[in-house]
Amino acid sequence: MLLLAGTLPLLNGSSVGAAPRPPACDPDPGARLADVPSPEQFLGFPLGVGQQRVVTNDEIRRYLAAVDSASDRVVTGTMATSATGQPLPYAIVSDAAHVTKDGLAKIAEDLRDLRDPRTMAASKAARIAHDDPAIVYIAGNVHGGETSGADASLKSLYELAAGLSCAVRDRNDNLLTVIVPTQNPDGRDANRRQNDFGFDLNRDWFARTQPETDGKVELLRTYPPQVFIDAHEMGSRRYFFPPNADPIHHEIADAPVDWINRIGEANKAGFGYNGACTDTVTTECYFNYDTYDLFYMGYGDTVPATGFGAAGMTYEKGSASAVQDRVQQQFNTQWSTTGWAADNKNEVLNSYFKIWTDALAEGQAGELEPNEVVQPDNTVQFPVPDIKVRSYFLLPDRQLADVRRLVERLRAMDVEVYEVKEPLTVPQARVFGGRTQANLTVPKGAYWIPMDQPQKHWIQATLGEDPYVPFPYFYDVSSWSNPLLMGIDTVYTGDDLHPKVQRVARPAGGKAATAPEGGSYQYRRDSAGAAEFTFALLGAGVEVRQDPQTGHTTFPEAALTPALNDRALGLGVTMGASRRPSVGPAITLPDVGLFAGTGISTTSGSYGEARYVLGKRWGLTLAPVTTADINNNTPAFTDRSVVLVPDGSNATGGLTAAGQANLRAWVAAGNTYIGLRNEGTRMARAAGLTSTTEKAKPAGYEVVGSHFRVDVDHASPVAATRPAEDFEFNNNDSILTPSTTGINVLTYPSDDTFWYNGYTAGADVLKGTAALVDEPTGAGRAVLFAYNPLFRAYNESGIQMLANAVLYPAGEPARAAARSAAPAIDPARAAAAALPAPENLGGEWRPITIQVAAADLARTESLVHNYTDTARVSQANGSAYLLIPNPEGLQADEHPYLRDLVSDLSAAGITLKSVVG
């Protein structure tokens, strides 16, 4: 194809305002060192213009090594190993004096020191800003099928490693450029968004459950960024770079947002191709202020911005363009971004120091940042409340292992955490769940997180009881409060407190004392961490028992190996020592089957989360169970003691009437069926295993990944060790009527204790409904979660309850009965099974909902009809709601037309009251 004028960036371009430099560079923009292999020499084809295919993982690794070997400007390393064992390489490119071992160590230390004004004089910070380079990351391919950012990063690497122009010299003088070509090599090999466990790595940043993410964040801690590019692809032939869409999280400092917007101007100038998208220019063009927000704390832009003070940016190139255009446009924006960063390096580093200085001052005063919007036509709809927050306390009375997991998660982001050494009184405490308490006693052993520290923004962004969304546009969740996800007791306060504390310097756990010969070790199985340790013991062949007198889980002292003690330490589990032998009923290792039948995606969602949590972390062998296995009653099904049915898109799992009878007989024989969310609960209902039904969601109902208070019924072992009131994460999940034939383990309160956070509308319909039920059949049971307890593997309270279900005390063994006639179906269950199956509107995610004024309905419908004729219309309270089915469960950033539809609605002057994708 013919490229339009202005397609290529000017590699020797000098920005306005750049300081005069001596002529120690080549005026020829094409001058390069001959010893450094170009992509074309090494790969056999150019990158960008003229490129005809995508680079492979092996070629990426070999090219980085080749450039490292040939250039004294480059050093390489490995930041992580993928789920399947592939290395994730990175390259650092800069002036040769910067990338020596000592040079890198000094720069890294200096920039880390800028993040703590308590130990850094302003004069020294100014010298560092003048003398040291800033750090810019170019990271590609976090979604495996989005390849162009990785290929373009190799082109950027070559230009910086080999170029002799003034533009290259200025960049290398002023920047350390860290190039991470692929953040997801397993997904790249499979041409799949997710990693090998089916996780979206661009949602994993705060929890760091996946090895690819954990290693990457450690690299950022070593070399803290001031600018971070996260290069993606989307549908269409357009290109997005910031300014972002609203909402932007209120705790992102002003400086990174300012840099992001100014980098956007530089990208506009250097983009080339067709320039800005307009009504008539719709391909090979760029757009801003649309679709891509800066809110959820699991993205590759929000975490660099909030946790590291960087200009964290998502760049998205339309995947419908030719390979050469995708890669060239990614390179053009990478080059423009590094150019802006080099030209403004002194200002950026001086402002970087001020970010942390301001954070300290805000933390001392207990001030939260206010909500703001950046899109010209938006206004703040939900301001941050006028409250003071000076301290958080994590209470140790229960779930201590999960409390410690959170402590270590915070410390791994350079948050200072302290253990309380003497009880103290908090005059005005706010208790998570929307309550207050005067003169609350914080006990010895609690953990204190003061806001008076440099990471104040990160603390509030991840611990805060509510994210205080400024504007109701979402393509992810609206709550990720870590204490609520874990269900741990947490309080916060604006009081100026000075507790007697000791800073946490290392993980806690392991054996508290050595048990005598013939004695035992014991621990409380009251957390996800303790459950995982139990599976580790069982997997090692240890005889584990539940002591009925103490309620503790116990095992013989001779069974504790150094490796198991280390595992307890890593999980935050403290074991007490006893002279008594291990007593009580034995806990047995279940034989777990994972349903992979009709309607189940085996490459993403809760199926992959089950493989990771139950398989990787708990060490269980998960036997695949198919629809045919249940329909034909094969040993692959009947030999299992537990079958887990993940969420999916089919209401029956493909079971025939015979298969449903086989399933009922298998449960009645003493086995456990565990069903998750839509398919897991609906498949059980269709088989006559539950009397719950689904309530219709009324017009205007929205639950965008929010937390709710739930009441807990301890009549079921699934609720063991959970508090009487707990918290549950709801992401537009099914609304279940209470069971009349089983135990409603979790229910939403009907009284004034009903509480939720995040963005939720019409939630009263949930009052009195069930979130988790335990349905007995014969000697077995069906445990049905209306929600996904495995969601992103960071929902520890749900994970613990799932572990309780997997380890449910066995009924009378009757395996032979698995091949006998199914028991009669209870009339209430038969009536539930006879109801029409609910429609699959949102897959494992949510349907799309667009809210406009009722007066705008006709115009909105007309524009929506250009994309789909499936929209359902409802009206309530002066608003119209257009619900667009999303049966594949696609999130907004992977949806084929949502972003274009939203752009069309905005261009037509239709005010969007809310958009939920």
Side-chain angles (χ1 to χ4, degrees):
M1 64 174 287
L2 292 175
L3 295 174
L4 301 176
T7 293
L8 300 177
L10 297 175
L11 298 186
N12 65 338
S14 214
S15 299
V16 176
R21 299 300 306 270
C25 51
D26 198 311
D28 177 7
R32 298 179 179 89
L33 295 168
D35 293 342
V36 179
S38 70
E40 188 165 10
Q41 290 170 330
F42 187 86
L43 300 169
F45 56 88
L47 296 177
V49 174
Q51 182 175 351
Q52 296 302 310
R53 71 166 176 86
V54 171
V55 183
T56 68
N57 274 323
D58 180 64
E59 288 170 333
I60 288 172
R61 291 190 283 264
R62 290 192 297 109
Y63 186 64
L64 260 63
V67 174
D68 181 4
S69 178
S71 174
D72 63 357
R73 304 176 191 174
V74 176
V75 294
T76 58
T78 299
M79 71 178 190
T81 302
S82 76
T84 66
Q86 292 199 69
L88 276 69
Y90 67 90
I92 301 177
V93 56
S94 187
D95 182 83
H98 294 156
V99 298
T100 64
K101 182 178 179 180
D102 290 344
L104 282 175
K106 179 182 183 302
I107 293 165
E109 182 179 11
D110 284 350
L111 269 62
R112 289 194 300 267
D113 287 348
L114 286 180
R115 300 175 68 200
D116 192 350
R118 298 169 300 183
T119 58
M120 170 71 68
S123 57
K124 183 178 179 182
R127 286 197 300 274
I128 290 173
H130 181 272
D131 296 342
D132 284 24
I135 298 178
V136 174
Y137 278 72
I138 300 173
N141 210 185
V142 72
H143 293 144
E146 302 172 8
T147 58
S148 58
D151 292 14
S153 74
L154 301 182
K155 184 175 177 70
S156 293
L157 172 64
Y158 171 66
E159 295 296 344
L160 294 171
L164 297 172
S165 69
C166 296
V168 170
R169 181 206 60 187
D170 288 348
R171 285 165 172 79
N172 287 336
D173 280 355
N174 290 293
L175 304 176
L176 277 184
T177 303
V178 183
I179 293 175
V180 181
T182 177
Q183 303 169 70
N184 183 5
D186 296 344
R188 187 181 181 95
D189 279 346
N191 193 28
R192 183 176 74 208
R193 179 183 178 93
Q194 299 85 2
N195 77 342
D196 188 66
F197 280 117
F199 279 65
D200 185 334
L201 296 179
N202 200 38
R203 303 296 188 271
D204 187 48
W205 277 72
F206 80 75
R208 297 168 63 172
T209 67
Q210 301 303 291
E212 299 93 336
T213 313
D214 192 53
K216 174 173 55 186
V217 176
E218 283 303 300
L219 185 66
L220 268 67
R221 291 181 70 200
T222 301
Y223 300 104
Q226 286 72 62
V227 175
F228 191 97
I229 297 171
D230 196 20
H232 291 252
E233 290 184 12
M234 59 181 179
S236 84
R237 294 176 59 193
R238 302 191 298 163
Y239 196 106
F240 168 84
F241 50 78
N244 294 91
D246 292 316
I248 293 177
H249 195 280
H250 66 95
E251 283 297 331
I252 295 176
D254 291 340
V257 177
D258 175 59
W259 302 339
I260 288 167
N261 294 341
R262 289 162 61 191
I263 290 169
E265 294 302 313
N267 284 338
K268 292 176 184 179
F271 183 77
Y273 282 80
N274 289 335
C277 300
T278 66
D279 290 343
T280 57
V281 178
T282 59
T283 63
E284 311 311 338
C285 54
Y286 66 80
F287 67 97
N288 325 108
Y289 290 121
D290 201 351
T291 305
Y292 301 101
D293 63 21
L294 200 62
F295 188 63
Y296 167 64
M297 284 298 136
Y299 296 149
D301 49 14
T302 52
V303 173
T306 316
F308 293 93
M313 298 172 294
T314 293
Y315 292 176
E316 296 266 359
K317 170 57 194 163
S319 58
S321 296
V323 172
Q324 65 170 351
D325 297 323
R326 299 202 307 268
V327 175
Q328 188 64 49
Q329 288 171 32
Q330 295 274 25
F331 171 74
N332 291 358
T333 54
Q334 291 174 12
W335 196 254
S336 297
T337 299
T338 54
W340 181 91
D343 291 342
N344 294 279
K345 183 269 296 187
N346 284 9
E347 176 199 342
V348 166
L349 289 181
N350 279 307
S351 296
Y352 191 70
F353 178 66
K354 188 174 185 299
I355 290 170
W356 312 105
T357 304
D358 291 347
L360 271 173
E362 291 175 10
Q364 289 168 356
E367 295 176 354
L368 304 183
E369 290 267 8
N371 263 336
E372 297 178 352
V373 293
V374 295
Q375 289 180 259
D377 297 332
N378 288 344
T379 58
V380 172
Q381 295 191 23
F382 308 104
V384 174
D386 184 17
I387 60 173
K388 299 289 186 184
V389 181
R390 286 190 170 92
S391 297
Y392 283 91
F393 290 95
L394 310 179
L395 305 184
D397 52 323
R398 61 180 177 83
Q399 291 176 256
L400 185 56
D402 292 345
V403 171
R404 288 168 172 169
R405 183 190 295 266
L406 180 51
V407 166
E408 292 308 308
R409 182 180 291 171
L410 292 167
R411 292 201 323 116
M413 281 295 288
D414 304 304
V415 174
E416 297 165 6
V417 182
Y418 299 82
E419 185 176 353
V420 176
K421 292 300 182 182
E422 291 183 2
L424 74 147
T425 298
V426 178
Q428 297 295 328
R430 294 179 179 269
V431 181
F432 268 47
R435 292 169 173 159
T436 59
Q437 183 174 335
N439 298 318
L440 181 144
T441 299
V442 173
K444 177 182 178 181
Y447 291 95
W448 178 49
I449 302 100
M451 295 283 270
D452 180 11
Q453 58 176 296
Q455 279 291 53
K456 174 260 180 182
H457 296 308
W458 183 252
I459 294 167
Q460 182 61 29
T462 55
L463 296 190
E465 186 181 26
D466 197 290
Y468 306 123
V469 59
F471 186 83
Y473 173 92
F474 298 96
Y475 74 83
D476 205 77
V477 300
S478 67
S479 175
W480 52 90
S481 169
N482 280 211
L484 291 174
L485 284 168
M486 293 183 167
I488 58 181
D489 290 335
T490 304
V491 299
Y492 59 107
T493 183
D495 296 333
D496 188 8
L497 302 173
H498 302 279
K500 184 173 182 180
V501 295
Q502 181 176 343
R503 184 170 173 181
V504 177
R506 62 186 59 85
K511 63 180 182 179
T514 300
E517 184 176 352
S520 62
Y521 290 102
Q522 54 188 254
Y523 60 94
R524 297 172 63 187
R525 187 156 52 91
D526 65 346
S527 61
E532 186 169 334
F533 182 59
T534 303
F535 285 114
L537 291 171
L538 293 172
V542 176
E543 182 184 81
V544 183
R545 297 183 178 276
Q546 192 69 23
D547 188 330
Q549 292 185 1
T550 65
H552 291 164
T553 302
T554 71
F555 62 95
E557 56 81 22
L560 183 63
T561 65
L564 286 171
N565 189 64
D566 288 345
R567 186 72 181 273
L569 175 61
L571 292 168
V573 176
T574 294
M575 298 170 290
S578 174
R579 296 180 179 278
R580 298 173 59 216
S582 178
V583 296
I587 299 173
T588 58
L589 187 67
D591 187 336
V592 181
L594 181 60
F595 185 68
T598 303
I600 302 297
S601 168
T602 59
T603 59
S604 63
S606 56
Y607 184 94
E609 290 157 354
R611 286 182 53 229
Y612 172 68
V613 174
L614 279 72
K616 176 71 173 178
R617 282 178 25 185
W618 293 357
L620 299 177
T621 299
L622 301 177
V625 176
T626 67
T627 299
D629 289 328
I630 299 177
N631 284 339
N632 297 321
N633 230 26
T634 70
F637 163 55
T638 58
D639 285 352
R640 310 284 78 81
S641 59
V642 175
V643 169
L644 173 66
V645 179
D647 191 13
S649 59
N650 192 281
T652 67
L655 298 189
T656 62
Q660 291 171 342
N662 292 339
L663 183 59
R664 290 195 303 276
W666 174 84
V667 171
N671 299 303
T672 301
Y673 173 104
I674 301 174
L676 307 187
R677 205 168 180 260
N678 294 330
E679 180 158 348
T681 58
R682 292 169 183 171
M683 183 170 151
R685 182 178 302 113
L689 291 172
T690 179
S691 56
T692 64
T693 61
E694 288 190 30
K695 292 182 67 172
K697 297 170 182 175
Y701 175 83
E702 290 290 355
V703 177
V704 188
S706 302
H707 280 97
F708 287 77
R709 178 181 285 116
V710 286
D711 292 328
V712 181
D713 188 340
H714 289 96
S716 167
V718 177
T721 74
R722 298 306 305 175
E725 293 182 332
D726 211 342
F727 297 103
E728 176 262 346
F729 180 80
N730 185 320
N731 189 31
N732 198 50
D733 302 325
S734 298
I735 305 175
L736 300 186
T737 61
S739 170
T740 60
T741 56
I743 302 168
N744 295 295
V745 183
L746 298 181
T747 54
Y748 298 97
S750 298
D751 56 19
D752 60 4
T753 63
F754 184 74
W755 177 89
Y756 57 84
N757 74 348
Y759 182 73
T760 298
D764 280 359
V765 70
L766 288 171
K767 290 183 175 181
T769 64
L772 171 59
V773 298
D774 179 354
E775 294 271 20
T777 293
R781 80 289 308 159
V783 178
L784 307 179
F785 292 81
Y787 62 104
N788 176 12
L790 292 169
F791 185 73
R792 295 177 179 167
Y794 60 37
N795 184 0
E796 278 80 5
S797 63
I799 289 172
Q800 187 205 338
M801 298 189 84
L802 178 63
N804 287 345
V806 171
L807 294 172
Y808 202 112
E812 290 298 321
R815 286 294 180 90
R819 287 182 279 274
S820 68
I825 303 176
D826 180 276
R829 294 179 178 179
L835 293 174
E839 188 177 2
N840 175 32
L841 293 175
E844 290 196 59
W845 189 240
R846 303 183 294 244
I848 295 161
T849 307
I850 297 172
Q851 179 189 4
V852 298
D856 288 329
L857 175 58
R859 288 196 300 151
T860 304
E861 279 190 288
S862 176
L863 290 171
V864 169
H865 194 72
N866 292 334
Y867 294 92
T868 179
D869 59 2
T870 63
R872 321 293 170 81
V873 177
S874 60
Q875 297 189 52
N877 303 318
S879 288
Y881 300 87
L882 291 91
L883 185 149
I884 300 172
N886 182 24
E888 295 180 9
L890 299 176
Q891 296 190 36
D893 57 338
E894 56 180 333
H895 196 274
Y897 62 78
L898 178 58
R899 68 180 64 82
D900 294 332
L901 171 57
V902 170
S903 295
D904 290 352
L905 293 170
S906 298
I910 297 172
T911 299
L912 300 174
K913 290 188 173 183
S914 68
V915 178
V916 177

